[in-house]
C-alpha cells in the first residue's frame, strides 16, 4: 500500500503575508487559492520542484487557533526543508531580514541552519552531504 504526504497545515494570521514570506524566502509557489465564502479561503503552496507535497495555510479564527499561531510545534521545527545549496538559502533569508535562530552549522554529513517564519515557527534548512 502506497502513501504520500499531501499537505501540512500551518495556521496563519494573514494568507497573503504568509505566502509572500514563503515565496520570498523559500521560492514557494501558489498551487491553489480559492475563497469559498467571505470567511473561508483555501491557499495551498509548494516548494519549487515538489509536485506531490506542500503547505495548506489556514487562517486562525478562534481564540484557541489564534493562540497557536507561531507555536504549533512548541519550540521544535515546523518544517525541515532540504536543499542542494544551504549557503544560498542562508544568504537569501538574511537579505530578506528573516530571523536566524541558529546560524549555519556542519556535522560532517550535513550543513543546516534554523530560522523563524513571520509568526515565529522554527524552520530548519538542511543540505545533506554524502561522500
Amino acid at each position: 500500500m502506497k502513501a504520500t504526504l499531501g499537505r501540512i497545515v500551518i495556521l496563519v494570521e494573514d494568507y497573503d503575508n504568509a505566502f509572500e514570506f514563503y515565496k520570498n524566502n523559500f521560492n514557494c509557489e501558489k498551487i491553489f487559492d480559492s475563497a469559498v465564502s467571505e470567511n473561508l479561503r483555501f491557499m495551498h503552496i509548494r516548494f519549487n520542484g515538489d509536485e506531490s507535497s506542500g503547505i495548506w495555510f489556514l487562517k486562525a479564527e478562534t481564540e484557541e487557533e489564534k493562540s497557536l499561531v507561531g507555536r504549533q510545534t512548541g519550540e521544535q521545527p515546523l518544517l525541515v526543508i532540504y536543499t542542494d545549496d544551504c549557503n544560498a538559502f542562508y544568504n537569501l533569508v538574511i537579505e530578506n531580514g528573516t530571523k536566524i535562530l541558529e546560524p549555519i552549522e556542519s556535522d560532517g554529513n550535513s550543513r543546516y541552519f534554523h530560522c523563524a517564519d513571520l509568526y515565529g515557527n522554527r524552520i530548519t534548512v538542511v543540505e545533506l552531504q554524502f561522500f
Side-chain angles (χ1 to χ4, degrees), residues 13-32:
E13 293 173 358
D14 182 271
Y15 292 104
D16 297 314
N17 289 342
F19 173 67
E20 287 299 314
F21 175 86
Y22 281 87
K23 179 182 81 170
N24 293 337
N25 287 284
F26 302 110
N27 300 319
C28 288
E29 58 190 18
K30 230 182 264 188
I31 55 175
F32 185 79

Side-chain angles (χ1 to χ4, degrees), residues 77-128:
L78 176 69
L79 299 172
V80 177
I81 300 170
Y82 292 112
T83 180
D84 61 354
D85 193 341
C86 192
N87 286 335
F89 267 107
Y90 188 78
N91 292 332
L92 179 63
V93 299
I94 292 287
E95 288 171 16
N96 287 326
T98 299
K99 182 177 181 181
I100 299 298
L101 301 174
E102 295 176 32
I104 291 180
E105 295 183 34
S106 179
D107 65 9
N109 294 319
S110 64
R111 293 172 40 81
Y112 55 90
F113 69 92
H114 300 267
C115 62
D117 75 2
L118 70 166
Y119 300 115
N121 291 304
R122 179 179 285 264
I123 298 171
T124 305
V125 178
V126 179
E127 177 184 351
L128 299 175

Side-chain angles (χ1 to χ4, degrees), residues 6-23 28-37 39-47 53-60 118-119:
R7 307 279 181 271
I8 65 149
V9 175
I10 299 178
L11 291 170
V12 300
E13 293 173 358
D14 182 271
Y15 292 104
D16 297 314
N17 289 342
F19 173 67
E20 287 299 314
F21 175 86
Y22 281 87
K23 179 182 81 170
C28 288
E29 58 190 18
K30 230 182 264 188
I31 55 175
F32 185 79
D33 186 3
S34 177
V36 177
S37 68
N39 297 326
L40 185 58
R41 180 177 173 187
F42 295 104
M43 183 184 291
H44 297 214
I45 68 169
R46 70 176 173 210
F47 296 90
S53 61
I55 298 171
W56 177 4
F57 292 137
L58 286 179
K59 185 174 181 186
L118 70 166
Y119 300 115

